[in-house]
Amino acid sequence: MKLYTNPASRGQIVSWYLHELGVQAEEVILDFKAGEHKAPGYTDKFPFGLVPSIEDGDLRLFESGAILLYLAERFPEASGVTTTEQRALAAQWVLFANATLAPVMFIESVRDTTLPKVFSPLDKVLADREYLEGGKFSVADLAVGAYLTYMPMFLPQVDLSPWPNVVAYINRISERPSFKATSGSPEVTNMAKEMAEKRAAAAAAKE
Amino acid sequence: MKLYTNPASRGQIVSWYLHELGVQAEEVILDFKAGEHKAPGYTDKFPFGLVPSIEDGDLRLFESGAILLYLAERFPEASGVTTTEQRALAAQWVLFANATLAPVMFIESVRDTTLPKVFSPLDKVLADREYLEGGKFSVADLAVGAYLTYMPMFLPQVDLSPWPNVVAYINRISERPSFKATSGSPEVTNMAKEMAEKRAAAAAAKE
């Protein structure tokens, strides 16, 4: 299996899941500055130039969330996702992460008003369970947790104290060795710190 | 199977897919103005108060994209989605629709610059095929097409002429009887028209 990725992309989430599953993949780092992800060598295979993507035999797949769901189904013993119902719930949380949670975090113009509408119910959900489905860490936690761990990394200015169960969950997820080795690696953390500082400087310059 | 929905939600997309599959579900219309989707009767089952959702036996599922993927797997004969690879590609296009396509369409502040980056490659993809996967209409087209058909409905001011294959695809999808009976029904079309007029009036008032 080949993973096309870059540290500044959601490819880190896929690397993290591969690590959790104990699956080895050949990682091909695309040089974003050189535009490798928008050059014919890549877009001939992946027309939208989106990263990450994978090749597994004849299958070519983009969209990080779809790759997570594929990996869960491809390695059922390691993922614990074996039934139609479990796949449906995995898809629910992956879609929730990518289509509901990510927008409220990253669309700055609406963050203050929309983020509590998602974080408050999430805090209630996490009040009586450590993990989202089945009592143990699964692809659902990886997908949702990936975005939540972005909060302290990329949005350190947001006060999370109204949602203590979310904070505890972020800490729980962040302690996973597979997270530390991939999405939470010093490389990604430093990159996030630089981005946060640049944004703060830009905001200060505007005032 | 019970579908909780409202004409002003992506529940219309699920209704459309149920219609395509020839599956009957009991539709429960939640009264948004009365806040039924944020009241305990509903949030006890679906904590985020997101609509649409389904109940099928013991399974409770929210996120329209996850519901589409579940229905495709649950009714493989009608959906044509039967293998791990087909499910992966279905997930790819559903994630693409909800996490990549929808944001470039609906985040007004970045639409002008980001929409061409998605529509131009999509136009190329559609230059040599009528449907996204397998040569015939599938859940991939339904997920992507659902958002594309929102263009003429909700964003009539956007000039689509640079992307003739996308326009032809929208027309092809819009002609489906199942679309006309659900997502493209007069009820939804009128609602879209009202929304577009309101937005135009608000924009004019700002100037």
Side-chain angles (χ1 to χ4, degrees):
Chain A
M1 192 181 303
K2 201 181 270 192
L3 167 64
Y4 296 93
T5 185
N6 180 288
S9 80
R10 281 177 279 194
Q12 291 292 341
I13 302 175
V14 175
S15 298
W16 175 16
Y17 197 39
L18 287 166
H19 206 284
E20 291 278 350
L21 295 171
V23 174
Q24 293 283 340
E26 181 193 344
E27 292 205 358
V28 180
I29 311 287
L30 296 171
D31 186 338
F32 279 2
K33 280 181 192 160
E36 281 184 354
H37 58 312
K38 300 293 178 188
Y42 187 69
T43 56
D44 288 348
K45 290 179 180 178
F46 298 100
F48 295 94
L50 294 173
V51 177
S53 65
I54 60 165
E55 288 184 299
D56 189 19
D58 289 341
L59 180 71
R60 286 176 182 161
L61 201 64
F62 61 92
E63 284 287 341
S64 62
I67 297 170
L68 294 185
L69 294 174
Y70 171 68
L71 293 174
E73 180 166 350
R74 173 95 158 69
F75 303 101
E77 211 165 306
S79 75
V81 177
T82 56
T83 67
T84 296
E85 287 70 24
Q86 287 172 336
R87 282 195 285 275
L89 291 168
Q92 169 189 284
W93 289 112
V94 167
L95 263 303
F96 172 79
N98 291 26
T100 296
L101 182 57
V104 304
M105 284 174 51
F106 290 117
I107 305 174
E108 212 172 329
S109 58
V110 295
R111 187 189 302 138
D112 290 350
T113 51
T114 59
L115 196 133
K117 290 179 190 168
V118 173
F119 273 49
S120 294
L122 183 60
D123 198 70
K124 271 190 205 162
V125 166
L126 291 168
D128 66 357
R129 46 181 148 164
E130 285 194 37
Y131 298 106
L132 292 170
E133 294 294 337
K136 59 182 181 189
F137 183 87
S138 75
V139 66
D141 301 293
L142 193 132
V144 173
Y147 285 99
L148 292 177
T149 59
Y150 284 168
M151 291 296 303
M153 269 201 257
F154 293 91
L155 301 166
Q157 76 279 17
V158 176
D159 174 19
L160 296 177
S161 63
W163 309 294
N165 298 308
V166 173
V167 172
Y169 181 71
I170 293 175
N171 292 338
R172 204 148 52 233
I173 301 274
S174 302
E175 278 159 20
R176 297 186 75 78
S178 292
F179 172 76
K180 289 183 183 170
T182 53
S183 282
S185 67
E187 188 180 10
V188 176
T189 311
N190 287 337
M191 191 181 68
K193 210 180 149 202
E194 273 176 38
M195 283 176 63
E197 284 168 359
K198 267 191 202 163
R199 245 202 319 265
K206 260 194 204 165
E207 276 167 14
Chain B
M1 192 180 304
K2 199 181 271 193
L3 167 65
Y4 296 92
T5 186
N6 180 289
S9 81
R10 282 177 279 195
Q12 291 293 340
I13 300 175
V14 174
S15 297
W16 175 15
Y17 196 39
L18 286 166
H19 205 284
E20 291 278 351
L21 295 172
V23 174
Q24 293 282 340
E26 180 194 343
E27 293 206 358
V28 180
I29 311 287
L30 294 172
D31 186 338
F32 279 1
K33 279 181 193 159
E36 282 183 351
H37 58 312
K38 301 292 179 189
Y42 186 67
T43 57
D44 288 348
K45 291 179 180 179
F46 299 99
F48 295 94
L50 295 172
V51 178
S53 64
I54 60 164
E55 286 184 300
D56 189 19
D58 288 340
L59 180 72
R60 288 176 181 161
L61 201 63
F62 61 91
E63 283 288 341
S64 62
I67 297 171
L68 294 184
L69 294 174
Y70 171 68
L71 293 174
E73 181 166 350
R74 174 96 159 67
F75 303 101
E77 210 165 307
S79 74
V81 177
T82 57
T83 68
T84 296
E85 286 69 25
Q86 287 171 336
R87 281 195 286 274
L89 291 168
Q92 169 189 285
W93 289 113
V94 168
L95 263 302
F96 172 79
N98 291 28
T100 296
L101 182 57
V104 306
M105 285 173 51
F106 290 116
I107 304 176
E108 211 171 330
S109 57
V110 295
R111 187 189 300 137
D112 289 351
T113 53
T114 58
L115 195 134
K117 290 179 191 170
V118 173
F119 274 50
S120 294
L122 183 61
D123 198 71
K124 272 188 203 164
V125 166
L126 291 168
D128 67 357
R129 45 181 148 164
E130 285 193 37
Y131 298 106
L132 292 170
E133 295 294 337
K136 59 182 181 189
F137 182 87
S138 75
V139 66
D141 301 294
L142 191 131
V144 173
Y147 285 98
L148 293 176
T149 58
Y150 284 167
M151 291 298 303
M153 269 201 256
F154 292 92
L155 301 165
Q157 76 279 19
V158 177
D159 174 19
L160 295 178
S161 63
W163 308 294
N165 298 308
V166 173
V167 172
Y169 181 71
I170 293 174
N171 292 337
R172 202 147 54 234
I173 301 274
S174 304
E175 278 158 19
R176 298 186 74 78
S178 292
F179 172 77
K180 289 183 184 168
T182 53
S183 282
S185 67
E187 187 181 11
V188 176
T189 311
N190 287 338
M191 190 181 68
K193 209 179 150 203
E194 271 176 39
M195 283 177 63
E197 284 169 359
K198 266 189 202 165
R199 246 201 320 264
K206 261 194 204 166
E207 275 165 17

